[in-house]
């Protein structure tokens, strides 16, 4: 007779997740959102500066964010986001879609680098002329990056996503950034209706709204 291998008596144990960052949102918020959207329990470890100083030396790159998976650290915000996106189904339905998501995310990093000084001044971390920075740096950066996003949304069929037919982490990170940006510059991206539609569709997701309603109120 055919032998049947005995079933294991051990249940599969889910990894433990601890996401450490400062109280603000930054590029770590997208990872918090994916953990929540996937129904994954995680420790949302928000460190004040004095707490961070005590553990900084133990961080692989000496910086935050960090995702601990069963106690093992993973640094860098977009590396964490890509890891979780692949794990939970927010990376794109095919390798080519995933590559497009990554390309847009890399382009967003370039854009954020361009407007970094403005954000530092706007939130009081640096001295500078906020209005001048907006006119000379931020407005051109917004036009360049959001034109790319608008074109991509149109090429993707104007379906409320930047890539494919389902929610990806680039939809999440851009939607969160728009909220932050328009808190500083009202109506900043009104000239890009397809991008705004991605934001509307993303933030109307019931599971995401659940997170947005319960998360601590913070800024960038």
């Amino acid at each position: 007779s055919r032998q049947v291998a005995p079933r294991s008596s051990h249940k599969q144990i889910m990894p433990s997740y601890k996401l450490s960052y400062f109280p603000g949102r930054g590029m770590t918020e997208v990872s918090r959102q994916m953990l929540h959207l996937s129904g994954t329990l995680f420790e949302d470890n928000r460190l004040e500066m004095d707490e961070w100083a005590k553990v900084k030396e133990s961080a692989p790159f000496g910086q935050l964010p960090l995702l601990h998976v069963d106690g093992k650290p993973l640094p860098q915000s977009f590396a964490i986001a890509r890891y979780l996106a692949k794990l939970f189904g927010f990376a794109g339905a095919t390798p080519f879609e995933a590559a497009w998501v990554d390309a847009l995310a890399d382009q967003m990093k370039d854009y954020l680098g361009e407007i970094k000084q403005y954000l530092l001044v706007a939130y009081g971390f640096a001295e500078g002329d906020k209005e001048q920075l907006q006119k000379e740096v931020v407005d051109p950066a917004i036009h360049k990056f959001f034109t790319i996003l608008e074109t991509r949304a149109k090429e993707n069929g104007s379906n409320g996503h930047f890539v494919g037919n389902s929610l990806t982490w680039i939809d999440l990170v851009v939607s969160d950034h728009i909220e932050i940006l328009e808190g500083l510059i009202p109506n900043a991206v009104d000239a890009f209706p397809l991008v705004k539609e991605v934001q509307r569709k993303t933030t109307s997701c019931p599971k995401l709204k659940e997170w947005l309603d319960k998360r601590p109120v913070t800024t960038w």
Side-chain angles (χ1 to χ4, degrees):
S1 62
R2 184 171 61 91
Q3 290 186 333
V4 179
R7 292 183 179 179
S8 171
S9 60
H10 298 287
K11 293 182 179 179
Q12 186 176 4
I13 300 174
M14 291 293 292
S16 66
Y17 297 97
K18 177 181 177 181
L19 185 59
S20 299
Y21 190 57
F22 300 111
R25 281 144 69 174
M27 290 294 97
T28 306
E29 177 63 16
V30 66
S31 292
R32 293 182 182 131
Q33 290 180 6
M34 285 189 287
L35 283 160
H36 180 77
L37 284 167
S38 65
T40 302
L41 294 176
F42 72 102
E43 181 181 348
D44 189 5
N45 186 34
R46 298 176 185 242
L47 295 168
E48 299 294 342
M49 289 302 296
D50 58 337
E51 296 174 303
W52 165 234
K54 297 174 184 177
V55 298
K56 183 176 181 179
E57 290 186 4
S58 65
F61 296 167
Q63 61 190 33
L64 292 177
L66 282 175
L67 175 69
H68 282 87
V69 183
D70 284 338
K72 297 178 181 179
L74 176 64
Q76 279 290 349
S77 58
F78 276 17
I80 293 168
R82 288 183 172 109
Y83 170 77
L84 294 175
K86 290 174 184 176
L87 199 61
F88 299 134
F90 300 108
T94 67
F96 191 73
E97 285 188 7
W100 254 107
V101 172
D102 286 347
L104 291 172
D106 289 341
Q107 189 68 27
M108 183 167 186
K109 269 201 164 184
D110 291 346
Y111 155 76
L112 291 173
E114 292 178 31
I115 69 169
K116 180 179 179 181
Q117 188 60 30
Y118 169 82
L119 293 173
L120 290 174
V121 171
Y123 287 117
F125 294 111
E127 296 291 328
D129 187 325
K130 187 173 72 170
E131 285 70 27
Q132 184 178 0
L133 283 168
Q134 179 186 330
K135 181 179 179 180
E136 297 180 359
V137 177
V138 180
D139 290 347
I142 289 172
H143 177 76
K144 180 173 70 175
F145 179 56
F146 280 85
T147 296
I148 290 170
L149 292 177
E150 186 79 0
T151 299
R152 181 58 200 161
K154 183 177 180 180
E155 290 174 346
N156 195 50
S158 304
N159 63 355
H161 301 294
F162 291 118
V163 180
N165 296 311
S166 61
L167 185 68
T168 63
W169 70 276
I170 194 62
D171 296 337
L172 291 167
V173 75
V174 169
S175 295
D176 188 69
H177 176 67
I178 291 172
E179 182 189 347
I180 293 291
L181 183 63
E182 293 196 329
L184 297 168
I185 308 172
N187 309 312
V189 298
D190 278 3
F192 308 97
L194 295 180
V195 176
K196 293 285 283 187
E197 175 58 19
V198 172
Q199 184 198 24
R200 186 204 65 76
K201 187 169 183 175
T202 300
T203 56
S204 64
C205 170
K207 190 70 173 175
L208 182 58
K209 284 175 67 66
E210 181 182 275
W211 169 254
L212 299 181
D213 289 342
K214 79 174 188 178
R215 71 183 179 185
V217 177
T218 58
T219 58
W220 183 259

